Amino acid sequence: MKKNRFRHLKKKLSLLHCISFFFVSLWIKQYKNMKKVALITGITGQDGAYLAEFLLKKNYIVHGIKRRTSLFNTDRIDHLYNDPHAENKDFTLHYGDMTDSMNLTRIIQEVQPDEIYNLAAMSHVKVSFDTPEYTANADGIGTLRLLEAVRLLGLTKKCKIYQASTSELYGLVQEVPQSEKTPFYPRSPYAVAKMYAYWITVNYREAYGMHASNGILFNHESPVRGETFVTRKITRAAARMAMGMQDKLFLGNLSSKRDWGHAKDYVEAMYLILQQDEPSDYVIATGITTTIRDFVKMTFAKLGITLEFRGEGADEKGFMTHIDNDLFSETVGANFLESLQKRLKQDIVEVDPRYFRPTEVDLLIGDATKAKTRLGWKPKYTLDTLIDEMITSDIKLFKKENYLKDGGFTILNYFE
Ligand code: NAP
Ligand code: GDD
């Protein structure tokens, strides 16, 4: 009798268990349906990685498009990865390419995004002179492919679109500082391709009533900035030189000026742009401009190294005139001091005309008043805190490489 009652109770409990499991899964499903869905192209890039992290924190379901590459290209988003076999994933990657309309259309149909952030691009200005046709295809027509896919799939009312436009559009600047009203004068195949992308975004907004907006972002950097952009090239070189892993830093035009911000602040602006009731185009910038030369000086100064530039044009050189031993020991390590001291008074930065561009953009400085007033956007980082974060991260990276080298392992040079 007692046994029977126990069996009965057990049955009841397991039924209760099943019912509660059913309701919990239903609740999870409904909750997931309430979450916004974002699709990010260029998710493996600097901005894609920061934006994905930002949106996941805001409770989005994030889908990203990555290219097929012969080696893994997901280092920057590795920390966001879910096991592909896990249930209820909030982060999913799809293979795709901006040059493949059918692939883009299929992904958008599958994902049914509320927001698309189009960040994918061949984004290197100098390289665009070597690959102008591909750049036009991926950066220019690629944007058209996305917009047209959204339109053909009938998602124009559901899906908001952010287009990664750029301060490179201003090129040979017609006004200082540059705002949303400044006329464009692109100076590279990259900028010309981005100009098409800018206007086709505006056109789809006006023609089809789409919530499509351009963020005209000025240069933004971070510890995960691509290694061939000038800021990261400098912070990497400073770290390597401090540890005796590199002799010289070769750069191109030292006199051009850029308005540098931190990518973390800039992805927040992307998000804010899509949260507005009305689509519009916004300049995102700090309003402060600095020469490449000063960026070099500021970076080395973080390690206690004073640089003085002498000469002009291709003959200009940066000499190491002083080492603050205490600061160097604190930031890099006393064990590296002796070998660096041997190079005191020598030139460690040189100009290599190979890095000059056929047409240069000499001065960029943005006026972000519209973003500040309408979006309430304000950068948290200064150039000083940006450089601090970048050089600290590169010192850490190359200390790790040094350990590997000392342990007899091969490390890569990654020369450019
Ligand atoms: P990035 O680090 O170079 O990342 C570019 C991303 O696009 C990468 O994920 C790359 O994939 C992907 N990509 C390139 N070609 C592609 C193609 N054909 N199909 C699919 N994906 C492709 O650039 P970022 O600094 O994050 O910049 C993001 C966007 O903002 C770019 O459109 C850039 O032009 C624009 N922008 C950047 C800045 C800036 O200062 N950072 C300023 C203004 C505008 P892989 O990883 O496989 O190479
Ligand atoms: N890359 C690089 N390498 N640039 C150098 C070097 C060098 O060795 N030496 C000097 N420079 C100068 C370039 O000539 C340019 O004037 C400036 O440093 C910045 O170059 P990059 O860091 O390559 O960036 P960018 O300004 O050309 O383009 C970046 O910012 C744009 C926004 O204004 C990219 O992120 C673009 O995708 C983005 O649209």
Side-chain angles (χ1 to χ4, degrees):
M1 183 75 173
K2 226 179 184 181
K3 227 178 183 180
N4 239 356
R5 213 184 271 161
F6 183 67
R7 229 182 262 145
H8 200 68
L9 190 74
K10 222 171 140 189
K11 246 188 188 170
K12 258 190 179 169
L13 273 175
S14 72
L15 190 69
L16 207 71
H17 189 244
C18 280
I19 291 171
S20 53
F21 180 75
F22 172 76
F23 279 112
V24 168
S25 2
L26 203 71
W27 179 77
I28 289 177
K29 249 190 181 166
Q30 271 181 345
Y31 177 66
K32 284 209 115 189
N33 283 342
M34 273 159 41
K35 282 184 166 189
K36 277 195 193 165
V37 178
L39 174 65
I40 304 175
T41 72
I43 196 155
T44 57
Q46 170 190 254
D47 292 5
Y50 279 114
L51 181 66
E53 192 173 326
F54 179 88
L55 293 178
L56 285 168
K57 278 194 191 135
K58 289 242 170 254
N59 228 6
Y60 274 62
I61 293 173
V62 174
H63 292 262
I65 298 182
K66 67 166 176 176
R67 295 196 283 184
R68 191 271 157 180
T69 45
S70 63
L71 292 171
F72 279 120
N73 62 346
T74 48
D75 287 16
R76 291 186 178 109
I77 45 173
D78 194 61
H79 61 298
L80 306 175
Y81 252 133
N82 298 122
D83 180 342
H85 308 100
E87 290 276 322
N88 300 319
K89 284 187 297 162
D90 279 347
F91 185 68
T92 310
L93 294 181
H94 307 256
Y95 279 113
D97 199 291
M98 294 307 291
T99 60
D100 182 343
S101 324
M102 279 192 271
N103 155 271
L104 293 175
T105 310
R106 180 184 52 76
I107 294 171
I108 295 171
Q109 186 176 27
E110 271 173 31
V111 169
Q112 295 282 312
D114 299 300
E115 296 173 7
I116 295 180
Y117 295 86
N118 182 30
L119 310 184
M122 200 310 287
S123 71
H124 203 286
V125 174
K126 175 75 160 59
V127 175
S128 78
F129 288 96
D130 300 329
T131 60
E133 184 183 342
Y134 172 72
T135 306
N137 192 5
D139 300 12
I141 308 295
T143 306
L144 171 69
R145 290 186 183 102
L146 266 188
L147 291 161
E148 190 61 358
V150 170
R151 189 176 79 86
L152 293 178
L153 291 169
L155 296 173
T156 47
K157 292 287 166 276
K158 170 182 163 66
C159 181
K160 297 178 177 179
I161 298 170
Y162 172 85
Q163 168 56 22
S165 283
T166 164
S167 49
E168 280 290 305
L169 294 171
Y170 299 118
L172 187 65
V173 297
Q174 305 293 296
E175 193 178 28
V176 178
Q178 297 87 48
S179 74
E180 295 80 3
K181 295 200 177 81
T182 307
F184 297 148
Y185 194 133
R187 293 270 279 174
S188 63
Y190 165 78
V192 174
K194 284 282 186 177
M195 180 124 160
Y196 176 84
Y198 174 93
W199 282 115
I200 200 68
T201 302
V202 173
N203 182 244
Y204 269 58
R205 172 166 86 214
E206 291 173 354
Y208 306 116
M210 286 166 75
H211 194 300
S213 304
N214 286 287
I216 309 171
L217 271 51
F218 283 61
N219 297 49
H220 45 279
E221 322 291 313
S222 74
V224 297
R225 179 62 146 154
E227 294 90 344
T228 60
F229 295 102
V230 79
T231 55
R232 187 76 198 289
K233 185 173 170 182
I234 295 166
T235 58
R236 277 171 60 91
R240 286 167 62 93
M241 286 160 94
M243 291 179 213
M245 299 167 85
Q246 183 175 330
D247 288 337
K248 269 191 188 157
L249 165 61
F250 291 96
L251 292 170
N253 182 2
L254 296 172
S255 300
S256 62
K257 290 180 160 183
R258 289 293 181 272
D259 179 335
W260 281 299
H262 195 301
K264 247 188 200 172
D265 283 332
Y266 286 47
V267 299
E268 185 182 3
M270 296 176 187
Y271 161 79
L272 289 172
I273 289 171
L274 289 202
Q275 306 320 303
Q276 304 309 300
D277 291 338
E278 295 302 325
S280 194
D281 309 315
Y282 296 88
V283 159
I284 305 297
T286 68
I288 296 168
T289 195
T290 309
T291 61
I292 311 302
R293 187 181 300 103
D294 283 342
F295 190 98
V296 177
K297 283 191 195 168
M298 287 171 80
T299 304
F300 279 85
K302 291 274 172 201
L303 309 180
I305 300 169
T306 307
L307 284 187
E308 200 181 293
F309 282 86
R310 293 176 215 148
E312 265 180 38
D315 296 324
E316 188 170 350
K317 289 185 169 115
F319 293 83
M320 180 164 50
T321 54
H322 177 73
I323 304 168
D324 177 333
N325 294 346
D326 292 340
L327 184 54
F328 184 86
S329 303
E330 194 188 309
T331 51
V332 187
N335 49 327
F336 297 107
L337 192 55
E338 202 186 317
S339 70
L340 190 76
Q341 271 165 341
K342 286 187 190 138
R343 306 207 51 207
L344 196 62
K345 312 286 177 205
Q346 291 179 11
D347 68 291
I348 58 168
V349 183
E350 280 190 26
V351 171
D352 181 346
R354 192 160 30 131
Y355 299 111
F356 290 163
R357 291 160 186 199
T359 38
E360 176 63 284
V361 172
D362 294 315
L363 164 70
L364 290 175
I365 177 166
D367 172 2
T369 307
K370 180 176 169 186
K372 284 180 182 157
T373 47
R374 285 215 209 159
L375 308 175
W377 176 80
K378 199 172 165 242
K380 295 178 189 77
Y381 280 85
T382 60
L383 184 58
D384 187 66
T385 53
L386 167 70
I387 295 177
D388 210 45
E389 200 179 292
M390 289 179 75
I391 189 68
T392 306
S393 166
D394 278 333
I395 291 282
K396 208 167 146 191
L397 174 69
F398 289 108
K399 273 198 175 154
K400 191 174 94 184
E401 300 247 315
N402 239 319
Y403 286 131
L404 288 173
K405 207 171 97 195
D406 288 348
F409 294 96
T410 311
I411 57 163
L412 298 171
N413 284 312
Y414 287 123
F415 278 126
E416 193 232 352

Coordinates of all heavy atoms in Angstrom, one line a residue, residues 20-80:
S20 N 6.5 21.5 -15.9 CA 7.3 22.8 -15.7 C 8.4 22.9 -16.7 O 8.7 24.0 -17.2 CB 7.9 22.8 -14.3 OG 8.6 21.6 -14.1
F21 N 9.0 21.8 -17.2 CA 10.0 21.9 -18.2 C 9.4 22.5 -19.5 O 10.0 23.3 -20.1 CB 10.5 20.5 -18.5 CG 11.6 20.5 -19.5 CD1 12.9 20.9 -19.3 CD2 11.3 20.0 -20.8 CE1 13.9 20.9 -20.2 CE2 12.3 20.0 -21.8 CZ 13.6 20.5 -21.5
F22 N 8.1 22.0 -19.8 CA 7.5 22.5 -21.0 C 7.3 24.0 -21.0 O 7.6 24.7 -21.9 CB 6.1 21.8 -21.2 CG 5.3 22.3 -22.3 CD1 5.5 22.0 -23.6 CD2 4.2 23.1 -22.0 CE1 4.8 22.5 -24.6 CE2 3.4 23.7 -23.0 CZ 3.7 23.3 -24.3
F23 N 6.8 24.5 -19.8 CA 6.5 25.9 -19.6 C 7.8 26.7 -19.7 O 7.9 27.8 -20.2 CB 5.7 26.2 -18.4 CG 4.3 26.0 -18.6 CD1 3.6 24.9 -18.0 CD2 3.5 26.8 -19.5 CE1 2.2 24.7 -18.2 CE2 2.2 26.5 -19.7 CZ 1.5 25.5 -19.1
V24 N 8.9 26.2 -19.0 CA 10.1 26.9 -19.0 C 10.7 27.1 -20.4 O 11.1 28.1 -20.9 CB 11.2 26.2 -18.1 CG1 12.6 26.8 -18.3 CG2 10.8 26.4 -16.6
S25 N 10.6 25.9 -21.2 CA 11.1 26.0 -22.6 C 10.3 27.0 -23.4 O 10.8 27.7 -24.3 CB 11.2 24.7 -23.3 OG 10.7 23.7 -22.6
L26 N 8.9 27.0 -23.2 CA 8.0 27.9 -23.9 C 8.4 29.3 -23.5 O 8.5 30.2 -24.4 CB 6.6 27.6 -23.4 CG 5.5 28.1 -24.4 CD1 5.6 27.2 -25.6 CD2 4.2 28.0 -23.8
W27 N 8.7 29.5 -22.2 CA 9.1 30.9 -21.8 C 10.4 31.3 -22.4 O 10.5 32.4 -22.9 CB 9.2 30.9 -20.2 CG 9.6 32.2 -19.7 CD1 8.8 33.3 -19.5 CD2 10.9 32.6 -19.3 NE1 9.5 34.3 -19.0 CE2 10.8 33.9 -18.8 CE3 12.1 32.0 -19.2 CZ2 11.9 34.6 -18.4 CZ3 13.2 32.7 -18.7 CH2 13.1 34.0 -18.3
I28 N 11.3 30.4 -22.5 CA 12.6 30.7 -23.1 C 12.4 31.1 -24.6 O 13.0 32.1 -25.1 CB 13.6 29.5 -23.0 CG1 14.1 29.4 -21.5 CG2 14.8 29.7 -23.9 CD1 15.0 28.2 -21.3
K29 N 11.5 30.3 -25.2 CA 11.3 30.5 -26.6 C 10.7 31.9 -26.8 O 11.1 32.7 -27.7 CB 10.3 29.5 -27.2 CG 10.9 28.6 -28.2 CD 9.9 27.7 -28.8 CE 10.6 26.8 -29.8 NZ 9.8 25.7 -30.2
Q30 N 9.7 32.2 -26.0 CA 9.0 33.5 -26.1 C 10.0 34.7 -25.8 O 10.0 35.7 -26.5 CB 7.8 33.6 -25.1 CG 6.6 33.1 -25.8 CD 5.4 33.2 -24.8 OE1 5.6 33.4 -23.6 NE2 4.2 33.0 -25.4
Y31 N 10.8 34.4 -24.8 CA 11.8 35.4 -24.4 C 12.8 35.7 -25.5 O 13.1 36.8 -25.8 CB 12.5 34.9 -23.1 CG 13.6 35.8 -22.6 CD1 13.3 37.1 -22.1 CD2 14.9 35.4 -22.7 CE1 14.3 37.9 -21.7 CE2 15.9 36.3 -22.2 CZ 15.6 37.5 -21.7 OH 16.6 38.3 -21.2
K32 N 13.1 34.6 -26.2 CA 14.1 34.7 -27.3 C 13.4 35.5 -28.4 O 14.1 36.3 -29.1 CB 14.5 33.3 -27.8 CG 15.5 32.7 -26.8 CD 16.4 31.8 -27.6 CE 17.8 32.3 -27.5 NZ 18.8 31.7 -28.3
N33 N 12.1 35.2 -28.6 CA 11.4 35.9 -29.7 C 11.4 37.4 -29.4 O 11.3 38.2 -30.3 CB 10.0 35.4 -29.9 CG 10.0 34.1 -30.6 OD1 11.0 33.8 -31.3 ND2 9.0 33.3 -30.5
M34 N 11.4 37.8 -28.1 CA 11.3 39.2 -27.8 C 12.7 39.9 -28.0 O 12.8 41.1 -28.1 CB 11.0 39.4 -26.3 CG 9.5 39.4 -26.1 SD 9.1 38.9 -24.4 CE 10.3 39.8 -23.4
K35 N 13.7 39.1 -28.0 CA 15.1 39.7 -28.2 C 15.2 40.2 -29.6 O 14.7 39.6 -30.5 CB 16.1 38.6 -27.9 CG 16.4 38.3 -26.5 CD 17.5 37.3 -26.5 CE 18.1 37.1 -25.1 NZ 19.3 36.3 -25.1
K36 N 16.0 41.3 -29.7 CA 16.2 41.8 -31.0 C 17.3 41.0 -31.7 O 18.2 40.5 -31.1 CB 16.7 43.3 -31.0 CG 15.6 44.3 -30.8 CD 16.2 45.6 -31.1 CE 15.3 46.7 -30.7 NZ 15.9 48.0 -30.6
V37 N 17.2 40.9 -33.0 CA 18.1 40.1 -33.8 C 19.0 41.0 -34.7 O 18.4 41.8 -35.4 CB 17.4 39.0 -34.7 CG1 18.4 38.2 -35.5 CG2 16.6 38.1 -33.9
A38 N 20.3 40.9 -34.5 CA 21.2 41.7 -35.3 C 22.0 40.9 -36.2 O 22.5 39.8 -35.8 CB 22.1 42.6 -34.4
L39 N 22.3 41.4 -37.4 CA 23.2 40.7 -38.3 C 24.4 41.6 -38.6 O 24.1 42.8 -39.0 CB 22.5 40.4 -39.7 CG 23.3 39.8 -40.8 CD1 23.9 38.4 -40.4 CD2 22.5 39.6 -42.1
I40 N 25.6 41.1 -38.3 CA 26.8 42.0 -38.5 C 27.6 41.4 -39.7 O 28.0 40.2 -39.6 CB 27.6 42.0 -37.2 CG1 26.8 42.5 -36.0 CG2 28.8 42.9 -37.4 CD1 27.5 42.5 -34.7
T41 N 27.8 42.2 -40.7 CA 28.8 41.8 -41.7 C 30.2 42.3 -41.2 O 30.2 43.3 -40.6 CB 28.5 42.3 -43.1 OG1 28.8 43.7 -43.1 CG2 27.0 42.1 -43.5
G42 N 31.2 41.6 -41.5 CA 32.6 42.0 -41.1 C 32.7 41.8 -39.6 O 33.4 42.5 -38.9
I43 N 32.1 40.7 -39.1 CA 32.1 40.5 -37.6 C 33.5 40.1 -37.1 O 33.8 40.2 -35.9 CB 31.1 39.4 -37.2 CG1 30.8 39.4 -35.7 CG2 31.5 38.0 -37.7 CD1 29.5 38.9 -35.3
T44 N 34.4 39.6 -38.0 CA 35.7 39.2 -37.6 C 36.7 40.3 -37.5 O 37.8 40.2 -37.1 CB 36.3 38.1 -38.5 OG1 36.3 38.6 -39.9 CG2 35.5 36.8 -38.5
G45 N 36.2 41.5 -37.9 CA 37.1 42.7 -37.9 C 37.1 43.4 -36.6 O 36.4 42.9 -35.6
Q46 N 37.8 44.5 -36.5 CA 37.9 45.2 -35.2 C 36.6 45.6 -34.7 O 36.1 45.3 -33.6 CB 38.8 46.5 -35.4 CG 38.8 47.4 -34.2 CD 39.4 48.7 -34.4 OE1 40.5 49.0 -33.9 NE2 38.8 49.6 -35.2
D47 N 35.8 46.4 -35.6 CA 34.5 46.9 -35.1 C 33.5 45.8 -34.9 O 32.7 45.9 -34.0 CB 34.0 47.9 -36.2 CG 34.8 49.2 -36.2 OD1 35.9 49.2 -35.6 OD2 34.4 50.1 -37.0
G48 N 33.5 44.8 -35.8 CA 32.6 43.7 -35.7 C 32.7 43.0 -34.4 O 31.7 42.7 -33.7
A49 N 33.9 42.8 -33.9 CA 34.1 42.1 -32.6 C 33.6 43.0 -31.5 O 32.9 42.5 -30.6 CB 35.6 41.9 -32.5
Y50 N 33.9 44.3 -31.5 CA 33.4 45.1 -30.4 C 31.9 45.3 -30.4 O 31.3 45.3 -29.4 CB 34.1 46.5 -30.4 CG 35.5 46.6 -29.8 CD1 36.6 46.8 -30.6 CD2 35.7 46.4 -28.5 CE1 37.9 46.9 -30.1 CE2 37.0 46.4 -27.9 CZ 38.0 46.7 -28.7 OH 39.3 46.7 -28.2
L51 N 31.4 45.4 -31.6 CA 29.9 45.6 -31.7 C 29.2 44.3 -31.3 O 28.2 44.4 -30.6 CB 29.5 45.9 -33.2 CG 28.0 46.1 -33.4 CD1 27.5 47.4 -32.6 CD2 27.7 46.3 -34.9
A52 N 29.7 43.1 -31.7 CA 29.1 41.9 -31.3 C 29.0 41.8 -29.7 O 28.0 41.5 -29.2 CB 29.8 40.7 -31.9
E53 N 30.1 42.1 -29.1 CA 30.2 42.0 -27.7 C 29.2 43.0 -27.0 O 28.5 42.7 -26.1 CB 31.6 42.4 -27.2 CG 31.9 42.1 -25.8 CD 33.4 42.3 -25.5 OE1 34.3 42.1 -26.4 OE2 33.7 42.8 -24.4
F54 N 29.2 44.2 -27.6 CA 28.3 45.3 -27.1 C 26.8 44.8 -27.2 O 26.0 45.0 -26.3 CB 28.5 46.6 -27.9 CG 27.6 47.7 -27.5 CD1 28.0 48.6 -26.5 CD2 26.4 48.0 -28.2 CE1 27.2 49.7 -26.2 CE2 25.6 49.0 -27.8 CZ 26.0 49.9 -26.8
L55 N 26.4 44.3 -28.4 CA 25.0 43.9 -28.6 C 24.6 42.7 -27.7 O 23.5 42.6 -27.2 CB 24.7 43.6 -30.1 CG 24.9 44.9 -31.0 CD1 24.6 44.5 -32.4 CD2 23.9 46.0 -30.6
L56 N 25.6 41.8 -27.6 CA 25.3 40.6 -26.7 C 25.0 41.1 -25.3 O 24.1 40.6 -24.6 CB 26.4 39.6 -26.7 CG 26.5 38.8 -28.0 CD1 27.8 38.0 -28.1 CD2 25.3 37.8 -28.2
K57 N 25.7 42.1 -24.8 CA 25.5 42.6 -23.5 C 24.2 43.3 -23.4 O 23.6 43.4 -22.3 CB 26.6 43.6 -23.1 CG 27.9 43.0 -22.6 CD 28.8 43.9 -22.0 CE 30.1 43.3 -21.7 NZ 31.3 44.1 -22.1
K58 N 23.7 43.8 -24.5 CA 22.4 44.5 -24.6 C 21.3 43.4 -24.8 O 20.1 43.8 -25.2 CB 22.3 45.5 -25.7 CG 23.1 46.7 -25.5 CD 22.3 48.0 -25.4 CE 23.0 49.1 -25.0 NZ 22.7 49.6 -23.6
N59 N 21.6 42.2 -24.7 CA 20.6 41.1 -24.8 C 20.1 40.8 -26.3 O 19.0 40.3 -26.4 CB 19.4 41.4 -23.9 CG 19.1 40.2 -23.1 OD1 19.8 39.2 -23.1 ND2 18.0 40.3 -22.4
Y60 N 20.9 41.1 -27.2 CA 20.6 40.8 -28.6 C 20.9 39.4 -28.9 O 21.8 38.8 -28.3 CB 21.4 41.7 -29.6 CG 20.8 43.0 -29.9 CD1 20.6 44.0 -28.9 CD2 20.5 43.4 -31.2 CE1 20.2 45.2 -29.1 CE2 20.0 44.7 -31.5 CZ 19.8 45.6 -30.4 OH 19.4 46.9 -30.7
I61 N 20.2 38.8 -30.0 CA 20.7 37.6 -30.6 C 21.6 38.1 -31.8 O 21.1 38.9 -32.6 CB 19.5 36.8 -31.1 CG1 18.8 36.2 -29.9 CG2 20.1 35.6 -32.0 CD1 17.5 35.5 -30.3
V62 N 22.8 37.7 -31.8 CA 23.7 38.2 -32.8 C 24.1 37.1 -33.8 O 24.6 36.0 -33.5 CB 25.0 38.8 -32.1 CG1 26.0 39.2 -33.2 CG2 24.7 39.9 -31.2
H63 N 24.0 37.5 -35.1 CA 24.4 36.7 -36.2 C 25.5 37.4 -36.9 O 25.4 38.6 -37.1 CB 23.3 36.4 -37.2 CG 22.3 35.5 -36.6 ND1 22.2 34.1 -36.9 CD2 21.2 35.8 -35.9 CE1 21.2 33.6 -36.2 NE2 20.5 34.6 -35.6
G64 N 26.6 36.7 -37.4 CA 27.6 37.4 -38.1 C 28.0 36.6 -39.3 O 27.8 35.4 -39.4
I65 N 28.5 37.4 -40.3 CA 29.0 36.8 -41.5 C 30.5 36.8 -41.5 O 31.1 37.8 -41.4 CB 28.4 37.6 -42.8 CG1 26.9 37.5 -42.8 CG2 29.0 37.0 -44.1 CD1 26.3 38.2 -44.0
K66 N 31.1 35.6 -41.7 CA 32.5 35.5 -41.8 C 32.9 34.9 -43.1 O 32.1 34.1 -43.7 CB 33.1 34.7 -40.6 CG 32.7 33.2 -40.7 CD 33.6 32.4 -39.7 CE 33.1 30.9 -39.7 NZ 33.9 30.1 -38.9
R67 N 34.1 35.3 -43.6 CA 34.6 34.7 -44.9 C 35.2 33.4 -44.6 O 35.8 33.1 -43.6 CB 35.6 35.7 -45.5 CG 35.1 37.0 -45.8 CD 36.0 37.7 -46.7 NE 37.2 38.2 -46.0 CZ 38.1 39.0 -46.6 NH1 38.0 39.2 -47.9 NH2 39.1 39.5 -45.9
R68 N 35.2 32.6 -45.7 CA 35.9 31.3 -45.6 C 37.4 31.7 -45.8 O 37.7 32.4 -46.8 CB 35.4 30.3 -46.7 CG 36.0 29.0 -46.5 CD 37.3 28.8 -47.2 NE 38.1 27.7 -46.6 CZ 39.3 27.3 -47.1 NH1 39.8 27.9 -48.1 NH2 39.9 26.3 -46.5
T69 N 38.3 31.3 -44.9 CA 39.7 31.6 -45.1 C 40.4 30.3 -44.8 O 39.9 29.4 -44.1 CB 40.2 32.6 -44.1 OG1 39.6 32.3 -42.8 CG2 39.8 34.0 -44.5
S70 N 41.7 30.2 -45.3 CA 42.4 28.9 -45.2 C 42.8 28.7 -43.7 O 43.1 27.5 -43.3 CB 43.5 28.8 -46.1 OG 44.5 29.8 -45.8
L71 N 43.0 29.8 -42.9 CA 43.2 29.6 -41.5 C 42.1 30.3 -40.7 O 41.4 31.1 -41.3 CB 44.5 30.4 -41.2 CG 45.8 29.8 -41.7 CD1 47.0 30.8 -41.5 CD2 46.2 28.5 -41.1
F72 N 42.0 29.9 -39.5 CA 40.9 30.6 -38.7 C 41.1 32.1 -38.7 O 42.2 32.6 -38.6 CB 41.0 30.1 -37.2 CG 40.4 28.8 -36.9 CD1 41.1 27.7 -36.5 CD2 39.0 28.6 -37.2 CE1 40.5 26.5 -36.2 CE2 38.4 27.3 -37.0 CZ 39.2 26.3 -36.5
N73 N 40.0 32.8 -38.9 CA 40.0 34.3 -38.8 C 39.1 34.9 -37.7 O 38.6 36.0 -37.8 CB 39.6 34.9 -40.2 CG 38.2 34.5 -40.6 OD1 37.6 33.7 -40.0 ND2 37.7 35.2 -41.6
T74 N 38.9 34.0 -36.7 CA 38.0 34.4 -35.6 C 38.6 34.8 -34.3 O 38.0 34.8 -33.3 CB 36.9 33.3 -35.4 OG1 37.6 32.1 -35.3 CG2 36.0 33.2 -36.6
D75 N 39.9 35.1 -34.3 CA 40.6 35.4 -33.1 C 39.9 36.5 -32.2 O 39.8 36.4 -31.0 CB 42.0 36.0 -33.4 CG 43.0 34.9 -33.8 OD1 42.4 33.8 -34.2 OD2 44.2 35.1 -33.8
R76 N 39.4 37.5 -32.9 CA 38.9 38.7 -32.2 C 37.5 38.3 -31.5 O 37.1 39.1 -30.6 CB 38.7 39.9 -33.1 CG 39.9 40.5 -33.6 CD 39.5 41.7 -34.4 NE 40.6 42.5 -35.0 CZ 40.9 42.6 -36.3 NH1 40.2 41.9 -37.1 NH2 41.9 43.3 -36.7
I77 N 36.9 37.3 -32.0 CA 35.5 37.0 -31.4 C 35.5 35.6 -30.7 O 34.5 35.1 -30.3 CB 34.4 37.0 -32.5 CG1 34.9 36.3 -33.8 CG2 34.0 38.4 -32.8 CD1 33.8 36.1 -34.8
D78 N 36.7 35.1 -30.5 CA 36.9 33.8 -29.9 C 36.2 33.7 -28.6 O 35.5 32.7 -28.2 CB 38.3 33.4 -29.8 CG 38.5 32.0 -29.5 OD1 38.1 31.2 -30.3 OD2 39.0 31.7 -28.4
H79 N 36.3 34.8 -27.8 CA 35.7 34.8 -26.4 C 34.2 34.9 -26.5 O 33.5 34.7 -25.4 CB 36.2 36.0 -25.6 CG 35.9 37.3 -26.3 ND1 36.4 37.7 -27.5 CD2 35.2 38.4 -25.8 CE1 35.9 38.9 -27.8 NE2 35.2 39.3 -26.8
L80 N 33.6 35.1 -27.6 CA 32.1 35.2 -27.7 C 31.5 33.9 -28.2 O 30.3 33.7 -28.2 CB 31.7 36.3 -28.6 CG 32.2 37.7 -28.4 CD1 31.8 38.7 -29.5 CD2 31.8 38.2 -27.0

